[in-house]
Amino acid sequence: MTVQELNAEFGASDIHFYNDSHGLVCAELNNAGSKAVIALHGAHLMSYVPKGQRDVLWMSEKSYFAVGKPIRGGIPVCWPWFGGHPSDSGMPSHGFARLADWEVIASGKHEGATFIELALTPGLIPEKFRNGDFLVKMRVGLSSKLLAALVIENTDVKELAFSAALHSYFNISEIADITVSGLDGKTFIDTLDDTVHVQKGDVNFGAETDLVYLDTEDACIIDDPGFGRKLKVAKCGSRSTVVWNPWKDKSVRMPDFGDEEYHSMVCVETTNAETDARILAPGESHTLQVIIESETQG
Ligand code: BG6
């Protein structure tokens, strides 16, 4: 659909479709509480600005904005696998959902929030990725909070196995100065050396960090004294959380990530990863949901 057609069918006083400066078709949601931008490419949330604040989501200046490439920053949708493909190393990292152009299927208002719903079906992905039927919907609700819900429906006659993430990149003042709470006492896998540990207290950052926390259902709080705010990351349908910062050397190795950008971002990802990967019987569905809010201090 063209931007004109999208505006005619799904536009409203608080939802506007446009082509952004990179040529991506995006929807801007703008209401009394906040403003958000979602690209149809990957159903990718690129910005969430509560009124009077700076962006809660981080975007890389080096990101690709191109057909078949993921966007670096915001909230990539990782599905139907998180990380590397379970059996085929030639497949793209974090699945194909973030590489595809999704369709808009609904928009409107629900319980005071502005919402938009996008869908991904096998017809929207390249042939080489097709392996059965599914319907995946990304529902975004915006009030003063941002809600993103990934609804996965198994519309096939066989089981659907997947891992997934709402891979949120947060905009922070300085990685060395922030803490992440909510994971105290949780077992985690340090994927850098494949060792297992138990978290003691808050998470601090002083080196490359790539951790999968297990049995996590509570909210995490990113305490950012430099920006004078706490970002609350609450969730449903997820019992694993990934905390990631590439630090310097990995940043240099990534072509779509600035060498010094690791200072200003942290990923606290709402996942179905490792032991929290899921299997849906035919007709079953699963919702992976994150609710993000920002509390300013002082
Ligand atoms: C994180 C992983 O979720 O995503 C990291 O834990 C990975 O290992 C990071 O480097 C970024 O992945 P990608 O595919 O977007 O470069």
Side-chain angles (χ1 to χ4, degrees):
M1 281 173 98
T2 64
V3 157
Q4 289 72 20
E5 288 165 341
L6 286 164
N7 275 317
E9 190 163 345
F10 300 105
S13 59
D14 51 358
I15 304 184
H16 174 68
F17 294 86
Y18 63 101
N19 284 300
D20 81 350
S21 57
H22 311 287
L24 297 181
V25 178
C26 294
E28 181 182 88
L29 280 54
N30 190 352
N31 60 29
S34 25
K35 196 156 93 165
V37 173
I38 183 166
L40 273 52
H41 182 65
H44 197 120
L45 274 155
M46 302 213 292
S47 168
Y48 159 48
V49 184
K51 283 280 143 83
Q53 293 191 39
R54 67 185 84 227
D55 212 316
V56 166
L57 300 179
W58 177 89
M59 283 290 296
S60 173
E61 303 255 315
K62 295 276 174 136
S63 177
Y64 300 119
F65 297 98
V67 176
K69 297 227 181 195
I71 296 169
R72 175 72 68 194
I75 309 187
V77 174
C78 304
W79 190 85
W81 59 90
F82 173 76
H85 187 277
S87 57
D88 185 347
S89 58
M91 295 292 250
S93 166
H94 291 324
F96 51 71
R98 65 177 180 165
L99 307 176
D101 288 340
W102 295 46
E103 276 172 351
V104 181
I105 54 167
S107 68
K109 283 218 174 2
H110 182 67
E111 294 176 355
T114 306
F115 83 84
I116 185 167
E117 196 166 35
L118 279 66
L120 184 69
T121 47
L124 296 170
I125 61 170
E127 186 90 42
K128 63 179 174 193
F129 296 137
R130 288 189 207 147
N131 179 28
D133 258 346
F134 60 80
L135 171 61
V136 178
K137 296 185 239 172
M138 175 72 161
R139 182 170 241 253
V140 172
L142 186 74
S143 54
S144 58
K145 303 177 192 181
L146 174 70
L147 176 146
L150 189 69
V151 184
I152 299 137
E153 294 179 32
N154 182 1
T155 51
D156 208 320
V157 291
K158 61 179 193 291
E159 284 184 338
L160 172 63
F162 64 88
S163 52
L166 293 166
H167 188 311
S168 316
Y169 286 76
F170 293 99
N171 179 27
I172 54 162
S173 57
E174 164 55 47
I175 187 70
D177 297 340
I178 64 143
T179 55
V180 176
S181 62
L183 298 165
D184 186 22
K186 297 295 176 189
T187 299
F188 65 90
I189 303 164
D190 186 336
T191 66
L192 298 177
D193 58 7
D194 223 12
T195 51
V196 176
H197 309 263
V198 174
Q199 180 65 37
K200 301 220 167 24
D202 296 346
V203 185
N204 296 288
F205 300 84
E208 182 178 353
T209 304
D210 199 344
L211 311 172
V212 185
Y213 288 85
L214 305 172
D215 289 318
T216 58
E217 283 180 305
D218 296 341
C220 285
I221 309 282
I222 302 167
D223 190 356
D224 184 351
F227 281 170
R229 69 182 180 185
K230 290 186 187 203
L231 304 177
K232 182 175 176 194
V233 188
K235 60 180 186 162
C236 299
S238 159
R239 293 196 301 268
S240 52
T241 302
V242 172
V243 176
W244 181 61
N245 181 285
W247 219 256
K248 175 85 182 184
D249 291 354
K250 185 161 179 173
S251 299
V252 171
R253 290 199 301 275
M254 290 190 289
D256 58 342
F257 198 109
D259 293 357
E260 299 298 329
E261 286 187 327
Y262 70 94
H263 285 286
S264 57
M265 57 69 66
V266 68
C267 287
V268 176
E269 305 166 33
T270 299
T271 63
N272 292 131
E274 296 284 345
T275 50
D276 189 27
R278 308 285 169 128
I279 298 175
L280 295 178
E284 279 187 344
S285 71
H286 172 70
T287 302
L288 175 67
Q289 179 172 303
V290 65
I291 302 131
I292 300 169
E293 67 191 293
S294 171
E295 244 179 52
T296 50
Q297 292 144 339

